[in-house]
Each structure stands twice: as C-alpha cells, then as structure tokens.
C-alpha cells in the first residue's frame, strides 16, 4: 500500500479531415505499445491525479492554437518558476537602460521564459542575442504593447495564452499591464487582499517587491490559461 510515482504518455493530434482534436493514452505492452483514444468526458478520469497533465491537455483541447500545428510549441506555465526567477533577478542591473529604453518587458519576458514557455523566433518573441543590444531582440520580447507596435501583452493575447482577469482573482505569475503608460510587471504574491509584484525599469530597483495600490494605479491583469 505504498504509493509510487508513475508516468503516462499522452498523444494529442489534429485530424486533418475533420479538424477534430484527438487525445490518446499510450499503453505499453512489453516491447510494443498501443494508443487508446480518450473520449472528451473520460480524460479527467484518466488524468485526475495528474494536475499538470490535465491542464496541458485541457489547454490543447480548448484553445485554437492548433490551426498551424507545425508551429505549435506551447508549454506548461510554471508559476512558481516564474516568480522564483522574478525575485532572484528583481535587483539586477537592467539589461536595457540607455537611449530611453526600459527593461520592464525584457524582465517579464525572461520570467515567462523561466516558467517554461519557449522562445518564438517567427513570432518575434525572443531575447537579445547580444546582451544589452535592443536591436538583436524580438519586438514582442522587449515591448509592452502600449504603443501598438508589438509587445509581450498583445503577443500572448493573440496567441491565446493569456486572458484578462480582475484583481480579485490574480495569483502569483499573473502579468500586470499599466494602461496609462508603457509598463509591465509580474505578480509575486496575492492572497485575495494584498498583491505584490516585481518589475524592472530603466533604473536598478531598490526593492524586490512592490505593493499594488488599486486606488492610484490603472492596471490590467492578464493570467495564463
């Protein structure tokens, strides 16, 4: 009666004829394996104790990201990893600070990347190939979206990765988007009443976390599905 860890492999495919998404469980039979199709209503029964598997499969089923299967590379968003990176690097010197550049979107993009979301060359969401050189980074990586010339918020919104939420339901790893000026940050703590966040700007930060003031800051919150 001692529990042990067990791994299951699932295959998700898009039927080219019907357009339906098919989820199958791989079952090993000695040296061979077979794929057993999992009906929509059954997958929770099979995956109920594997929360990350449930979430990953549900994301694939519910989103329209498979319209271009060959470019589909969405990964599980690890909130803890995102926040750990944010707090560990909140007080770093900003990579971009000269010529009026701010490091906020670059910082948030790095947090998202640390959470397991792969860089996307074709989607222009990738870090600078030369440290400190804005010209070598993707526009969606280093911009917020405020000036409507690309940015991390519109990129992930258009991909279907994030959606707008209220401050009452934010959690660690939620993105913050200032609507009165070009700025983004990431939530590091939320308990239903207090929200803390980490950020970068064009100057080195003097504290790891800041407290969100709903009365003085015009902010939209975006969370990963």
């Amino acid at each position: 009666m001692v529990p042990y860890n067990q791994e299951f492999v699932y295959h998700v495919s898009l039927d080219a004829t019907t357009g339906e998404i098919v989820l199958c469980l791989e079952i090993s039979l000695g040296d061979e394996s077979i794929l057993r199709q999992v009906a929509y209503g059954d997958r929770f029964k099979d995956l109920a104790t594997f929360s990350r598997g449930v979430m990953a499969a549900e994301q694939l089923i519910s989103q329209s990201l498979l319209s271009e299967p060959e470019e589909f590379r969405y990964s599980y968003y690890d909130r803890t990893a995102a926040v750990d990176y944010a707090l560990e690097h909140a007080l770093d010197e900003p990579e971009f600070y000269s010529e009026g550049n701010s490091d906020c979107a670059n910082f948030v993009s790095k947090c998202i990347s640390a959470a397991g979301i792969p860089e996307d060359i074709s989607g222009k969401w990738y870090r600078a190939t030369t440290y400190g050189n804005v010209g070598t980074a993707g526009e969606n990586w280093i911009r917020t979206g405020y000036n409507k010339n690309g940015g991390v918020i519109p990129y992930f919104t258009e991909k279907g990765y994030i959606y707008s939420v209220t401050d009452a339901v934010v959690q660690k790893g939620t993105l913050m988007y200032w609507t009165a000026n070009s700025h983004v940050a990431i939530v590091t703590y939320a308990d239903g009443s207090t929200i803390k966040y980490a950020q970068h700007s064009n100057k080195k930060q003097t504290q790891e976390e800041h407290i969100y003031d709903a009365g003085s800051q015009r902010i939209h919150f975006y969370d990963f599905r």
Side-chain angles (χ1 to χ4, degrees):
M1 299 300 291
V2 178
Y4 63 97
N5 293 328
Q6 189 171 10
E7 181 177 282
F8 293 90
V9 177
Y10 286 84
H11 294 252
V12 179
S13 60
L14 181 65
D15 189 302
T17 302
T18 65
E20 294 182 351
I21 296 174
V22 179
L23 178 66
C24 293
L25 169 64
E26 182 177 309
I27 302 174
S28 296
L29 298 174
D31 296 330
E32 300 180 357
S33 63
I34 62 172
L35 296 179
R36 180 178 68 80
Q37 185 171 343
V38 181
Y40 185 87
D42 292 338
R43 72 179 183 283
F44 291 104
K45 185 188 304 180
D46 291 329
L47 293 170
T49 58
F50 302 90
S51 59
R52 288 184 62 163
V54 172
M55 182 175 294
E58 182 69 4
Q59 288 167 343
L60 291 172
I61 296 293
S62 64
Q63 298 175 17
S64 60
L65 299 177
L66 291 179
S67 58
E68 297 179 342
E70 70 279 1
E71 297 182 2
F72 179 74
R73 299 192 305 157
Y74 183 66
S75 297
Y76 174 79
Y77 180 67
D78 188 333
R79 298 175 183 279
T80 298
V83 171
D84 286 348
Y85 181 93
L87 295 177
E88 183 178 351
H89 296 278
L91 302 183
D92 288 358
E93 290 284 353
E95 180 178 359
F96 306 124
Y97 60 87
S98 61
E99 301 177 1
N101 293 310
S102 174
D103 199 50
C104 67
N106 179 52
F107 174 68
V108 167
S109 288
K110 287 181 177 179
C111 293
I112 296 172
S113 178
I117 307 301
E119 295 181 28
D120 179 7
I121 301 298
S122 62
K124 299 181 180 180
W125 187 72
Y126 56 90
R127 71 188 67 221
T129 55
T130 303
Y131 184 87
N133 188 336
V134 175
T136 65
E139 61 186 35
N140 290 322
W141 182 281
I142 61 172
R143 297 174 181 170
T144 65
Y146 178 79
N147 293 312
K148 303 186 185 304
N149 58 351
V152 63
I153 296 299
Y155 167 77
F156 281 107
T157 300
E158 291 168 7
K159 284 286 188 181
Y161 292 0
I162 60 176
Y163 65 105
S164 179
V165 297
T166 67
D167 58 3
V169 297
V170 302
Q171 52 189 318
K172 67 179 183 180
T174 298
L175 307 184
M176 302 175 68
Y177 179 45
W178 274 248
T179 58
N181 58 300
S182 181
H183 188 57
V184 288
I186 185 168
V187 173
T188 54
Y189 173 85
D191 63 3
S193 59
T194 300
I195 297 174
K196 297 180 181 180
Y197 62 92
Q199 65 179 8
H200 268 200
S201 65
N202 59 347
K203 295 181 180 180
K204 182 178 179 179
Q205 299 295 297
T206 58
Q207 58 190 85
E208 292 181 347
E209 295 176 297
H210 306 265
I211 297 178
Y212 164 63
D213 182 353
S216 63
Q217 298 173 316
R218 293 167 54 190
I219 294 173
H220 284 175
F221 293 91
Y222 291 88
D223 210 350
F224 278 82
R225 299 184 186 277

